[in-house]
Amino acid sequence: MAGRLGRLAGLVLVAALGAASLVAGPAAAAPARPAGGTAAAPRVDDLGPASEVTSTGVAEPVGDLVYTATSGVSPVQVAAFDPAQHRVTTTIDLPTGAGTWAMAHVGTDLYVATYDPGDLYRIDTTTGTATKVANFGSFVWAIAAAPDGTIVAGTYPDAGVWSYDPATGQTRRYGAAVAGEQYVRSIAVTDTTIFAGVGAHAHLIAIDRTTGDRTDVLPAQYANRTFVATLALSGNTLAAGLSPTGTMLVFSLDDLAHPVEVQADAAEQYVTAITVHGDSVYLGTRPAGVLWRYDTASDTVTRLGSPYDGAYFNRIMVGADDAVTAELTSTFVDYDAGTGTFDGTDLTAAGLPPAPELAMQVTATDDRVLVSGKAGVQVHDLATGASHRTFLAGEAKTMTPVGGQVYLGVYTLARLFSIAPDGTELHKVGDVANEQTRPTDAVYDPAVGKLLVTTEADYGKYNGALACFDPRTGAVQVYRGVVPDQSVRSVAATAGTAYLGSEIRNSLGTDPVVREATLSAFDLRRGAVRWQVTPVPGAGQITDLALWRGKLYGTTDTGTLFAFDPRTRAVLSTVDVGAGATLVTAGGQLYGATGERIFRVNGDGTTTTVLDDLAAETYGPPMLAAAPDGDSLYTVRHRNLIRLWL
């Protein structure tokens, strides 16, 4: 049947090697090198959508269909998937929102809550009409339907709990589940009680729906976890997934003080989905991407299998005869209990086409440009003008060409991957570990033969790190807390010295300990910091660093571009360029990019605009990469990849 990915071996191949690459519509054919251009009118080629994806993170069964929705693309598309036909039968566009993590249903009404902004939509699945019925702030993480039809939501960054009553159309705000926290990542609700899973310091809050009174029912021994990230409720059983230990607690509503602890595998860190079905509790865990069944009667855990390494289970559904179907990132899979294998349907092939997303990072090799985004890397072939997508179980926050390979720093869990420039040969090569989760920058120093990757700690944790990866041996040496009480945001390196730019925020869900970002010189051979200075008073982040003509240049979140002399440790010049600019060298010159323009840095530290009106739509810092021969730059205009000839 069209769209089927085959049994386990085929699905593993798809995920690990990118065999299910999505072929994008043809971009403009790559031109021959132009004869020239003018400073007033630089030559720019539009290479088509930078990154196109079908990425989903939620699912909800309604009748004979399962609804899912896209994330990171505009508009958000809600899709009705028919499991019997293995195809998408209907799509509905939402007028607001950058994506969704939250769905619930009441009868034939499907409720979808978005982020940016946090709107709540009711979709009449009998007619396909969508109506906005409430707003819950800026970001909704989770919703659940109460037995009486009330919709309850958990939000960020206020750690808020809200409800919407369809009968009256009224919205109620319960306030922060826990004062000082930012996340309510999971919600479950009974006739009388709302359960809110909180982070980045874990709490499980029981809220009286009438009075608003609240009690933390998470046992004290689990208070060192970061999140109660997943909740599932059925009958008298409440199950909760804890991060970052991959622990599940199974509560009886009659005795919340004594949950049963379930640790499916000590190596797993996240419980991404839970479904309670009779005496069985099904759960999906990461980073391995495994489906498990816990039997409450016998207190035993059974490993059912993994559709592919790193699989992210968004929703587990159990039907007649205990048949298990799960929604993953852009895929539905059916589990065959008899063979222990998975049969999958790719949503793109099923009728939910990819759309231009908020790209995250760009890098260039001699004949290809790679752009990363949600769950994949888009590979642009400059010779043919075509692009295709390689699946990645995560998000590549850094991409660094080294010796014929491109090394990826991947969120979550700060894992390191290698990929060939054509998108093949994707495989994991290392882990940063040390409670790190988000790579922030990377550079290769040939003097020591190391790829240097800077990272941010896991949610609610302190002290980022510098990881030194040796491509020859695969060894990873990690210096956590190299900049004490901060994250390491940016890095430049030469001749065995790494220059580290910090960020005063340690991780999401933490408050800064220090007041200003610092610049440090780290001796890679000795493994020690030689000096540390504050180059720009008041800056909370040194966004990027680059070496040029013997000087170190950096950008900050306050919009300052500074030139720094590493020998004298003196700031030579400063100029305002816009917050969070990215820097690269090309053709012996230094260039920078904001979301609006590309500029050239002059010898005196001033700047000259090279290209304006980018209106770039990206996720994270501005994107800028140089061709290896220095003849052009790559960036994003709106959501398209463009080539600027120098």
Side-chain angles (χ1 to χ4, degrees), residues 41-383:
R43 173 71 179 269
V44 176
D45 297 325
D46 190 322
L47 304 180
S51 185
E52 292 189 294
V53 68
T54 301
S55 178
T56 58
V58 66
E60 182 73 11
V62 182
D64 294 331
L65 302 176
V66 181
Y67 287 81
T68 186
T70 58
S71 183
V73 301
S74 295
V76 176
Q77 283 195 307
V78 179
F81 176 75
D82 185 336
Q85 301 182 61
H86 298 281
R87 68 182 185 91
V88 171
T89 61
T90 306
T91 60
I92 303 163
D93 291 350
L94 300 185
T96 60
T100 177
W101 291 107
M103 276 185 175
H105 82 281
V106 178
T108 58
D109 285 339
L110 175 70
Y111 288 87
V112 182
T114 65
Y115 58 84
D116 297 331
D119 290 335
L120 178 67
Y121 285 89
R122 180 177 62 236
I123 296 175
D124 183 337
T125 61
T126 64
T127 64
T129 57
T131 305
K132 178 183 169 181
V133 295
N135 173 265
F136 298 142
S138 62
F139 197 118
V140 180
W141 265 113
I143 62 174
D148 63 4
T150 298
I151 301 299
V152 180
T155 59
Y156 163 87
D158 59 346
V161 177
W162 308 64
S163 70
Y164 166 76
D165 185 345
T168 65
Q170 297 299 305
T171 297
R172 177 177 177 180
R173 184 174 185 177
Y174 287 87
V178 176
E181 293 297 338
Q182 294 182 322
Y183 295 85
V184 171
R185 288 284 292 267
S186 54
I187 286 285
V189 58
T190 71
D191 287 315
T192 60
T193 307
I194 298 167
F195 293 96
V198 175
H201 304 90
H203 301 270
L204 178 55
I205 306 299
I207 302 173
D208 186 293
R209 290 180 58 188
T210 301
T211 67
D213 293 342
R214 58 203 66 197
T215 305
D216 194 342
V217 299
L218 184 69
Q221 64 264 37
Y222 302 105
N224 63 344
R225 308 303 202 267
T226 57
F227 282 96
V228 177
T230 316
L231 287 173
L233 175 65
S234 180
N236 204 42
T237 300
L238 175 70
L242 308 183
S243 304
T245 56
T247 306
M248 183 174 71
L249 300 180
V250 180
F251 296 82
S252 167
L253 295 184
D254 297 328
D255 184 13
L256 292 171
H258 300 94
V260 176
E261 178 181 314
V262 179
Q263 191 71 50
D265 187 331
E268 294 292 78
Q269 295 180 253
Y270 302 117
V271 179
T272 63
I274 304 174
T275 292
V276 180
H277 181 74
D279 290 336
S280 295
V281 181
Y282 294 84
L283 61 154
T285 60
R286 286 193 81 225
V290 178
L291 178 67
W292 309 81
R293 183 179 62 243
Y294 170 66
D295 187 291
T296 58
S298 63
D299 190 30
T300 57
V301 181
T302 303
R303 186 186 193 277
L304 301 183
S306 174
Y308 55 83
D309 183 44
Y312 195 116
F313 289 86
N314 293 311
R315 181 65 185 267
I316 302 166
M317 293 157 283
V318 186
D321 300 322
D322 295 336
V324 177
T325 297
E327 197 274 336
L328 310 178
T329 306
S330 73
T331 307
F332 278 92
V333 296
D334 299 314
Y335 173 71
D336 187 325
T339 62
T341 59
F342 292 84
D343 192 19
T345 302
D346 178 84
L347 279 170
T348 300
L352 186 59
E357 67 168 329
L358 299 178
M360 298 180 184
Q361 189 56 265
V362 61
T363 195
T365 64
D366 289 330
D367 53 5
R368 289 177 174 85
V369 180
L370 282 67
V371 181
S372 67
K374 284 182 175 293
V377 176
Q378 197 85 18
V379 180
H380 294 258
D381 188 321
L382 295 175

Side-chain angles (χ1 to χ4, degrees), residues 460-542:
K461 301 295 184 180
Y462 289 80
N463 288 320
L466 170 68
C468 303
F469 170 71
D470 189 330
R472 298 162 299 181
T473 66
V476 183
Q477 186 165 10
V478 179
Y479 299 93
R480 185 178 181 184
V482 60
V483 183
D485 298 320
Q486 300 184 67
S487 291
V488 190
R489 190 69 199 181
S490 51
V491 59
T494 184
T497 297
Y499 297 100
L500 308 176
S502 76
E503 178 177 8
I504 62 174
R505 189 198 74 189
N506 282 269
S507 67
L508 291 169
T510 63
D511 295 320
V513 176
V514 301
R515 299 179 61 184
E516 296 174 317
T518 59
L519 176 65
S520 304
F522 184 80
D523 190 318
L524 292 166
R525 295 184 175 90
R526 294 175 52 238
V529 173
R530 291 207 303 264
W531 51 257
Q532 184 180 89
V533 299
T534 302
V536 180
Q541 177 188 113
I542 297 177

